[in-house]
Amino acid sequence: MSARRPYMRPMDGWWRRNPFFIRYMIREATAVLVVAYATVLLFGVIRLAQGESAYDAWLASLRSPWSVAFHIVLLANFVYHTWSWFQVMPKTMPIIVMRGKRLQPAVITAAGLLAAAVASAGLLLLTLGIGS
Amino acid sequence: MRRSNAPIFWSLFGAGGVLAALIGPMLVFITGIAVPLGLVLPRDLMSYPRMLMFAQHWAGKMFLFAVIALFLWHGMHRIFHNLHDFGIKTGTGAKLVCYGLALLGTAVSAYALLALGF
């Protein structure tokens, strides 16, 4: 056993020192609530398979104020996910060259957000169609 | 050289991320806010007979499976790769737990959806 104790720079709260890293950590942390929402839906499917009374209990739990409050937090989380996903997309996708010029990051982000808006509107209209 | 299995997990992460980015907010609004409160959408939209019909249709089944499984793989992959950033030691064990949970959720959702019949 060596007695050497080399200095190690403390890394506690490293990401709080720079706004860029704060945004990075918030973006990455959205994954926790994405998993939480998938779990809510997973339980819904399990309850559905268990029969009507089990499913109705799950549905009733969704109506509790705690659940609605939680889903408002989830909504904010998912909106941030959408926003950050398309902010990062220009860096994660292959470079697109159009008419000899590189497609600008802002164009890619805007196209992604537009696609999300169209898909969301489509989903709501489809749901309204089923509902009526 | 042995092929890396990373592309599989990365693809699932990417697919889940895109799906969540495109319809995640609206899905949360519909299932967690609008329907429970009867806001914009009718409260009985997710009633047992309706959801049973939805989940028994092949398209509804595929949709539910895709959303649950891909969201899980997306989230668990991201959590696994950020454990280090949060000061948690990672390794094979952490990888097994993270991807294992995603796999478990995928298997359970597949089982429940198949048990619902067609």
Side-chain angles (χ1 to χ4, degrees):
Chain A
M1 189 75 197
S2 90
R4 259 184 90 239
R5 289 203 303 128
Y7 172 73
M8 300 257 277
R9 186 179 168 214
M11 290 304 286
D12 288 341
W14 61 272
W15 52 275
R16 269 174 260 135
R17 295 172 202 151
N18 184 329
F20 179 83
F21 292 133
I22 292 175
R23 283 200 301 277
Y24 163 79
M25 287 301 252
I26 294 171
R27 164 170 38 98
E28 299 302 312
T30 58
V32 176
L33 289 183
V34 171
V35 169
Y37 182 59
T39 309
V40 170
L41 294 185
L42 177 62
F43 272 91
V45 169
I46 293 169
R47 296 314 243 168
L48 191 66
Q50 286 172 343
E52 184 156 9
S53 59
Y55 179 76
D56 283 347
W58 177 79
L59 210 56
S61 72
L62 280 189
R63 290 200 191 111
S64 83
W66 287 110
S67 170
V68 174
F70 178 59
H71 279 85
I72 290 170
V73 175
L74 282 182
L75 180 63
N77 181 75
F78 270 86
V79 168
Y80 191 78
H81 168 83
T82 300
W83 173 253
S84 60
W85 186 263
F86 292 120
Q87 286 292 322
V88 171
M89 201 163 81
K91 290 172 187 166
T92 54
M93 65 187 280
I95 292 169
I96 300 173
V97 178
M98 279 176 95
R99 290 196 212 97
K101 272 190 184 167
R102 186 181 164 178
L103 196 62
Q104 287 304 302
V107 177
I108 297 169
T109 300
L113 291 173
L114 184 70
V118 171
S120 300
L123 180 65
L124 184 63
L125 287 176
L126 203 68
T127 316
L128 280 168
I130 295 169
S132 61
Chain B
M1 201 178 95
R2 223 173 77 81
R3 274 201 187 192
S4 163
N5 57 18
I8 299 168
F9 298 122
W10 199 87
S11 304
L12 288 167
F13 160 77
V18 169
L19 191 65
L22 288 177
I23 59 164
M26 187 53 83
L27 215 50
V28 170
F29 174 72
I30 291 169
T31 68
I33 299 168
V35 173
L37 295 180
L39 209 83
V40 188
L41 293 163
R43 276 188 123 175
D44 69 339
L45 189 82
M46 281 164 62
S47 66
Y48 178 75
R50 275 169 176 264
M51 282 316 285
L52 189 66
M53 224 167 72
F54 182 73
Q56 284 181 335
H57 193 276
W58 66 268
K61 219 183 266 298
M62 292 276 286
F63 179 76
L64 289 171
F65 180 67
V67 168
I68 295 170
L70 290 178
F71 279 22
L72 283 177
W73 285 103
H74 166 82
M76 291 320 297
H77 177 87
R78 210 169 213 183
I79 289 170
F80 170 62
H81 280 281
N82 286 279
L83 288 176
H84 175 79
D85 294 334
F86 287 93
I88 300 163
K89 233 179 147 59
T90 65
T92 314
K95 194 172 186 174
L96 280 174
V97 169
C98 287
Y99 292 148
L101 283 174
L103 188 65
L104 180 71
T106 304
V108 171
S109 70
Y111 178 78
L113 284 167
L114 287 174
L116 280 161
F118 287 83

